[in-house]
């Protein structure tokens, strides 16, 4: 047994024979042409054919991985119309009198090299897209449309690299998973692999000689095991069987409404902690995003994110949700979430310290920058906003004043914004106890059970040693939740839960009976929860 460790591209287990996918880069010769005009024509015709192929691929991808993920092939088609790209190819043909495939290959290499050298990981990953387009164009120009090189029987594919178009073109029946030497977690190939549910790892120096050997791929651990021994094989087979059960569940519950056995609709939303989560939010069929933890924008940055940077991120999220609700939680920094440039002082009790809304209300300019970005993004989807760590009516009044200022300023600048529902998180016992009064001021409540548990039971959520004392079903907590739902409803507020407790299947029946309107959980819990809700009276 040999174990090779690379990096996770897509989780899951695959067991089967390894198939080495040898894909030699197409050799392109340079030669002088007498009539560059004819080469320009060949280039234009090849582009037309490439666009046709990409449209066919797009349609296949829409069926298999959904519209959002399929978009990459439309982007490829758009890249073919890029002015710089076309100028480069055309100039080479006319100035150097070279053949079209040579001009395409050189331009592709130059552009891919430029992207590969960029600092930003997202742009670096785009080098693979450029290579993919370039190879397609060269293949058309050389009239060399080789077979797809697919394994004859279902196998784990090993390759130096895989292009997004190759990944989609492959027959899923023949592909158990793949392992490559190159490829990043944010490449489109990786995104497609995750969406297609194919286990995949990268960063392993695959060898031709491995072809035909028995292998197991553990996507989560980023491991490739060659000739697994009996014990390892048994463990992996058990996990594979569990994964398959989960997949069956996915297929069965995707696209359905979330309704209780008694016929009541419950909104089933997902929590998202960064932009990459958007893929799994959609993949798992969430009906909206119930908690968009905006602080990731601040934590992943080395400076206060500008209004424009935030606006772009919220707009992208809103557009991806395509009309489904996106609830953005305003900055919840402090305590365990620290960013150096905030210059926050060390505190004795950070969980009960200067954090979240307290920072925003003490530094209104910071708060206003975020609110402006959120309200501007609301012109591109169904955006709501909610405020964390509330303890008093005064805080809510002050927030509303600031929101009115922001709306007035945006209006004066002719910057569009939509109707934005406003809610608060109920994550302190204080907020739960005065929820009757608070409900008159807002549109909705979202109960943050992670913090509500911490403050109600006086158990630091960061301290592992206290786990034995922590009863997540403590009657004090359940009574507070019940009270919040009743007070919210009495004043016409809808009430949801966005803390981890919302995904606790032992409590689903209880939440439904207590009258909960929404549950927002991590994306992988959406479908199991939809099933559970359907069984609740
Ligand atoms: C919560 O406290 O339950 C919550 C959802 O917020 P966070 O976990 O981000 O503190
Ligand atoms: Mg919280």
């Amino acid at each position: 047994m040999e174990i090779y460790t690379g990096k996770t591209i897509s989780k899951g287990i695959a067991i089967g024979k390894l198939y080495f996918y040898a894909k030699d880069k197409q050799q392109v010769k340079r030669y002088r042409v007498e009539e560059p005009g004819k080469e320009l024509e060949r280039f234009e015709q090849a582009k037309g054919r490439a666009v046709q192929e990409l449209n066919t691929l797009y349609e296949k991808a829409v069926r298999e991985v959904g519209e959002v993920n399929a978009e990459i092939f439309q982007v490829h088609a758009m890249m073919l119309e890029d002015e710089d790209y076309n100028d480069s190819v055309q100039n080479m043909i006319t100035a150097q009198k070279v053949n079209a495939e040579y001009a395409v290959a050189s331009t592709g290499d130059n552009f891919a090299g430029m992207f590969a050298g960029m600092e930003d990981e997202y742009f670096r990953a785009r080098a693979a897209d450029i290579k993919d387009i370039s190879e397609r164009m060269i293949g058309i120009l050389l009239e060399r449309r080789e077979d797809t090189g697919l394994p004859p029987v279902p196998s784990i594919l090993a390759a130096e690299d895989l292009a997004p178009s190759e990944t989609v073109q492959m027959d899923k029946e023949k592909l158990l998973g793949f392992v490559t030497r190159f490829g990043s977690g944010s490449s489109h190939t990786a995104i497609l692999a995750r969406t297609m549910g194919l286990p995949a790892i990268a960063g392993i120096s695959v060898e031709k000689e491995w072809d035909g050997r028995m292998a197991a791929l553990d996507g989560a651990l980023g491991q490739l095991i060659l000739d697994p021994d009996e014990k390892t094989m048994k463990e992996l087979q058990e996990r594979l069987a569990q994964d398959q059960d989960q997949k069956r569940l996915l297929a069965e519950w995707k696209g359905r409404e979330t309704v209780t056995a008694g016929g009541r609709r419950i909104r089933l939303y997902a929590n998202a902690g960064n932009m990459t989560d958007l893929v799994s939010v959609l993949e798992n069929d969430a009906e909206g995003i119930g908690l968009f933890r905006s602080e990731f924008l601040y934590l992943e940055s080395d400076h206060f994110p500008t209004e424009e940077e935030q606006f772009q991120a919220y707009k992208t999220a809103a557009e991806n949700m395509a009309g489904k609700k996106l609830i953005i939680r305003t900055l919840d920094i402090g305590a365990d979430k620290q960013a150096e440039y905030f210059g926050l002082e060390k505190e004795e009790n950070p969980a009960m310290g200067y954090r979240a809304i307290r920072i925003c209300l003490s530094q209104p300019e910071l708060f206003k920058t975020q609110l402006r970005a959120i309200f501007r993004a609301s012109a591109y989807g169904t955006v709501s906003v909610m405020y964390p760590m509330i303890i008093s009516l005064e805080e809510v009044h002050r927030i509303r004043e600031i929101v009115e200022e922001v709306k007035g300023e945006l209006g004066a600048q002719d910057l569009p914004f939509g109707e934005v529902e406003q809610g608060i998180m109920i994550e302190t016992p204080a907020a739960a106890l005065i929820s009757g009064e608070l409900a008159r001021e807002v549109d909705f409540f979202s109960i943050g059970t992670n913090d509500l548990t911490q403050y109600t039971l006086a158990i630091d959520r960061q301290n592992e040693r206290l786990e034995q004392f922590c009863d997540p079903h403590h009657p004090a907590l359940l009574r507070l939740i019940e009270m919040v739902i009743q007070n919210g409803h009495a004043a016409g507020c809808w009430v949801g839960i966005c803390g981890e407790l919302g995904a606790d299947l032992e409590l689903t029946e209880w939440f439904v009976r207590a009258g909960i309107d929404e549950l927002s959980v991590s994306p992988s819990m959406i479908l199991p929860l939809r099933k559970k809700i359907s069984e609740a009276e």
Side-chain angles (χ1 to χ4, degrees):
M1 177 164 98
E2 292 162 41
I3 301 179
Y4 298 87
T5 305
K7 60 181 177 211
T8 302
I9 292 288
S10 171
K11 291 181 186 154
I13 308 268
I15 301 172
K17 288 244 166 83
L18 211 68
Y19 178 86
F20 194 87
Y21 175 66
K23 178 189 54 162
D24 298 326
K25 197 167 179 245
Q26 305 179 84
Q27 293 305 316
V28 176
K29 290 205 184 78
R30 172 191 172 126
Y31 57 85
R32 196 180 153 76
V33 294
E34 293 312 322
E35 293 178 81
K38 276 201 175 149
E39 290 306 293
L40 289 175
E41 216 170 280
R42 282 183 67 224
F43 171 61
E44 286 305 323
Q45 279 171 358
K47 267 196 334 189
R49 172 106 181 259
V51 170
Q52 269 175 13
E53 288 182 7
L54 286 164
N55 285 341
T56 312
L57 258 186
Y58 170 75
E59 274 152 29
K60 180 172 193 297
V62 169
R63 286 192 301 275
E64 290 185 2
V65 292
E67 215 166 299
V68 174
N69 292 302
E71 256 171 28
I72 181 59
F73 299 112
Q74 285 186 320
V75 174
H76 279 195
M78 266 151 56
M79 278 167 144
L80 282 170
E81 294 307 331
D82 179 74
E83 211 177 303
D84 292 336
Y85 176 79
N86 279 278
D87 282 353
S88 168
V89 175
Q90 285 158 353
N91 285 343
M92 262 192 200
I93 294 176
T94 37
Q96 299 176 25
K97 294 200 166 168
V98 291
N99 48 320
E101 48 274 30
Y102 179 79
V104 165
S106 304
T107 301
D109 284 349
N110 293 343
F111 278 47
M114 204 166 69
F115 275 99
M118 289 189 175
E119 255 185 38
D120 187 300
E121 200 202 325
Y122 174 83
F123 285 113
R124 271 207 311 278
R126 297 294 72 79
D129 293 316
I130 309 261
K131 283 190 202 151
D132 196 1
I133 300 168
S134 202
E135 288 291 308
R136 172 176 308 283
M137 284 289 288
I138 295 167
I140 295 172
L141 284 162
L142 294 177
E143 293 174 22
R144 225 198 274 138
R145 310 302 289 163
E146 75 291 351
D147 68 87
T148 55
L150 270 177
V153 289
S155 310
I156 297 174
L157 200 101
E160 287 283 304
D161 205 353
L162 277 180
S165 59
E166 287 172 311
T167 318
V168 160
Q169 256 159 346
M170 284 179 181
D171 179 356
K172 271 207 272 178
E173 305 293 305
K174 299 270 177 65
L175 207 55
L176 300 172
F178 64 79
V179 44
T180 58
R181 178 161 168 203
F182 302 107
S184 79
S186 50
S187 68
H188 281 109
T189 298
I191 295 171
L192 291 171
R194 287 194 285 269
T195 314
M196 290 159 80
L198 279 177
I201 54 181
I204 292 186
S205 303
V206 291
E207 291 175 23
K208 269 199 177 97
E209 291 66 39
W210 293 352
D211 190 81
R213 280 175 74 176
M214 192 61 199
L217 192 153
D218 185 337
L221 293 181
Q223 279 185 344
L224 174 74
I225 306 156
L226 289 183
D227 304 320
D229 62 25
E230 217 175 293
K231 184 169 162 271
T232 313
M233 193 65 140
K234 195 161 170 271
E235 277 170 19
L236 288 168
Q237 271 164 344
E238 273 167 19
R239 279 178 51 204
L240 180 62
Q242 282 167 8
D243 278 10
Q244 281 167 345
D245 282 350
Q246 174 74 3
K247 273 196 192 144
R248 265 192 292 278
L249 185 76
L250 288 186
E252 207 182 312
W253 289 90
K254 239 176 161 162
R256 292 219 205 160
E257 285 194 336
T258 308
V259 208
T260 65
R264 191 160 73 84
R265 283 283 316 249
I266 306 278
R267 303 183 213 175
L268 189 47
Y269 293 167
N271 296 345
N274 55 41
M275 296 304 274
T276 25
D277 283 354
L278 293 182
V279 177
S280 36
V281 166
L282 295 170
E283 200 178 293
N284 287 286
D285 203 25
E287 294 156 28
I289 294 184
L291 166 63
F292 190 72
R293 291 184 157 101
S294 70
E295 54 277 6
F296 78 89
L297 284 172
Y298 297 76
L299 296 171
E300 288 173 5
S301 175
D302 58 5
H303 59 272
F304 288 106
T306 61
E307 176 181 325
E308 204 51 36
E309 283 168 338
Q310 295 193 55
F311 166 61
Q312 288 303 337
Y314 304 146
K315 174 173 173 261
T316 305
E319 285 176 339
N320 268 279
M321 293 311 290
K324 291 179 179 173
K325 199 186 278 286
L326 164 67
I327 305 180
I328 303 176
R329 191 255 303 269
T330 59
L331 177 65
D332 184 11
I333 210 156
D336 53 319
K337 299 174 208 153
Q338 293 286 341
E340 228 165 73
Y341 58 86
F342 270 80
L344 299 177
E345 278 170 27
K346 235 182 150 14
E347 294 174 308
E348 285 290 318
N349 286 309
M352 294 194 279
Y354 186 56
R355 57 174 293 198
I357 202 69
R358 299 170 186 178
I359 296 182
C360 290
L361 291 178
S362 313
Q363 302 184 46
E365 284 313 311
L366 178 80
F367 192 31
K368 281 173 82 172
T369 303
Q370 179 171 38
L371 289 172
R372 283 177 60 93
I374 295 174
F375 274 78
R376 282 176 59 197
S378 70
Y380 299 86
T382 312
V383 174
S384 307
V385 61
M386 68 179 178
Y387 310 101
M389 285 294 292
I390 296 296
I391 56 165
S392 72
L393 266 174
E394 290 69 31
E395 285 168 342
V396 178
H397 291 153
R398 181 70 192 118
I399 291 169
R400 298 219 80 142
E401 278 167 20
I402 296 175
V403 166
E404 287 312 310
E405 276 172 44
V406 164
K407 283 163 69 173
E409 286 166 17
L410 290 177
Q413 290 174 277
D414 272 341
L415 289 167
F417 57 91
E419 277 294 317
V420 178
E421 232 188 359
Q422 294 191 66
I424 55 171
M425 290 187 70
I426 303 288
E427 44 187 356
T428 62
L433 291 165
I434 60 162
S435 51
E437 288 95 310
L438 289 169
R440 282 181 234 123
E441 307 291 324
V442 294
D443 301 313
F444 67 94
F445 285 155
S446 186
I447 308 176
T449 50
N450 308 337
D451 277 317
L452 188 60
T453 307
Q454 147 163 284
Y455 299 125
T456 305
L457 306 184
I459 285 185
D460 178 356
R461 64 193 265 194
Q462 298 287 100
N463 191 338
E464 284 164 29
R465 281 176 60 192
L466 300 179
E467 258 170 38
Q468 56 169 316
F469 298 103
C470 187
D471 171 10
H473 300 178
H474 193 293
L477 195 60
L478 299 185
R479 259 179 240 171
L480 285 177
I481 294 174
E482 207 165 25
M483 179 175 152
V484 171
I485 297 174
Q486 283 167 5
N487 285 337
H489 286 174
C493 263
W494 64 263
V495 184
I497 295 179
C498 64
E500 292 302 305
L501 206 62
D504 185 334
L505 300 178
E506 285 177 32
L507 285 180
T508 311
E509 177 91 42
W510 187 88
F511 289 144
V512 168
R513 266 203 239 120
I516 204 74
D517 302 295
E518 176 241 28
L519 290 169
S520 188
V521 297
S522 61
S524 63
M525 283 307 294
I526 292 280
L527 296 169
L529 194 51
R530 180 170 292 156
K531 178 170 184 286
K532 192 77 189 174
I533 289 171
S534 77
E535 293 156 5
E537 277 304 324

